[in-house]
Amino acid sequence: MTPGEGELAYNLTVIYGLSVLSMVVLYKVLYPPQHSSPPPSPMVSSESLPSPQSTLALIKSRRSIMPKDLSGESLTREEVELVLEAANWAPTHHKTEPWRYTVVEGSDAINEYLDMMETWYSDNKEEISEADYDKFLMKLSGARSTWPQNVSHVVVIGMARQALPDKKLPEWEEICAVASSVQNLHLALTSIEGAGGFWSSHTWCRMFRDSQDMRDYLGLKDAEDRVLGAFVIGKVQEGKTFKGKRRDWMEKVTWK
């Protein structure tokens, strides 16, 4: 091969190689590889959502129903899990999700819960005023006469003061998040036929409620964690009805 023929062969090889490379690049641009991506978060279609009228009807149907009006019939595990899942979808600033729930299930466990309260008050009697102690005993007697017999579950409500290690929000924001969670729980409970209950603030046993012993019982180790009472749930006695009333919403709204 002469020097001229060798140079020509070299140039043709370079041109061919560049042509192949250009074709590969063009193919990748026009037909990019389809990488698998994580599935998107499930979205609820507008067709599956309740109408505004149905939503308002559910909200207006919510009632606080006392243990004396419950039948003793138990909610199923699936029903309780449904209301707890609803509670988990509350609004939460910075997604801290500070609500914590402990479920006391069945009459034996409810009796043990009340026993624990009574034991604590007895053990700490010297630090409690006579008036507060007598008030506790009176309320405890009322709870003992209805809760074990009539109530299906007691859902004790806790708040993790710092639910995420890198975020500590103002306490009032976390309390609001937990309250929103409880409202979700209550609305979901209202949607279950024949179910009802109420949010007990546990003011009547507030000294135990606010103690480290109570936080330990709920698995809340931080001294700043809070216990915000309990939601008492069950099935409503047949034939019981409950009226609700609110003043006109327009009295409470100012337009600017």
Side-chain angles (χ1 to χ4, degrees):
M1 181 182 292
T2 65
E5 290 173 336
E7 183 178 359
L8 177 61
Y10 173 80
N11 290 337
L12 289 173
T13 301
V14 171
I15 292 171
Y16 177 78
L18 290 174
S19 298
V20 172
L21 179 61
S22 297
M23 292 174 65
V24 171
V25 171
L26 182 61
Y27 180 85
K28 287 182 175 292
V29 170
L30 295 177
Y31 305 100
Q34 299 297 317
H35 297 293
S36 60
S37 56
S41 301
M43 297 293 290
V44 179
S45 67
S46 58
E47 291 79 8
S48 65
L49 292 173
S51 68
Q53 293 78 13
S54 296
T55 302
L56 183 58
L58 173 65
I59 293 170
K60 293 171 74 171
S61 297
R62 184 202 58 77
R63 297 288 182 273
S64 292
I65 300 174
M66 300 297 109
K68 66 181 180 61
D69 296 313
L70 300 177
S71 67
E73 181 183 352
S74 295
L75 275 76
T76 66
R77 176 62 65 92
E78 290 75 19
E79 289 171 331
V80 176
E81 290 178 349
L82 182 145
V83 301
L84 291 170
E85 182 178 4
N88 195 47
W89 281 94
T92 166
H93 197 192
H94 290 291
K95 295 182 170 60
T96 56
E97 303 177 26
W99 46 84
R100 299 291 184 269
Y101 294 107
T102 298
V103 182
V104 183
E105 183 176 28
S107 59
D108 289 343
I110 292 171
N111 265 320
E112 291 174 4
Y113 180 68
L114 297 176
D115 288 343
M116 178 177 61
M117 286 184 188
E118 185 172 21
T119 298
W120 189 92
Y121 266 81
S122 177
D123 291 345
N124 295 274
K125 186 175 182 179
E126 293 182 0
E127 302 172 21
I128 304 169
S129 71
E130 184 177 352
D132 283 343
Y133 194 82
D134 289 344
K135 183 177 180 180
F136 164 73
L137 290 178
M138 181 183 68
K139 290 287 189 178
L140 178 67
S141 176
R144 285 199 183 280
S145 69
T146 54
W147 288 26
Q149 296 81 9
N150 295 8
V151 170
S152 173
H153 296 75
V154 174
V155 182
V156 189
I157 304 161
M159 183 199 80
R161 179 66 187 89
Q162 187 170 1
L164 298 178
D166 59 335
K167 294 177 182 176
K168 188 173 184 179
L169 304 185
E171 185 181 40
W172 73 268
E173 293 185 3
E174 303 294 60
I175 293 172
C176 289
V178 176
S180 297
S181 175
V182 175
Q183 174 75 344
N184 278 11
L185 184 155
H186 201 170
L187 290 174
L189 186 67
T190 303
S191 74
I192 298 172
E193 185 176 2
F198 84 110
W199 184 355
S200 166
S201 66
H202 275 23
T203 302
W204 57 276
C205 57
R206 65 185 179 277
M207 299 187 72
F208 171 64
R209 178 199 66 192
D210 298 338
S211 70
Q212 186 59 52
D213 291 316
M214 178 59 142
R215 289 191 291 274
D216 289 342
Y217 171 72
L218 302 179
L220 301 172
K221 300 303 182 183
D222 194 315
E224 291 189 78
D225 292 343
R226 299 279 296 275
V227 180
L228 302 177
F231 207 94
V232 181
I233 64 178
K235 289 296 184 76
V236 181
Q237 293 177 23
E238 189 173 353
K240 289 272 187 178
T241 58
F242 308 91
K243 295 181 179 180
K245 183 179 180 180
R246 291 293 185 274
R247 296 185 301 279
D248 195 318
W249 65 267
M250 290 185 286
E251 298 176 6
K252 307 154 194 170
V253 178
T254 301
W255 299 83
K256 298 288 189 183

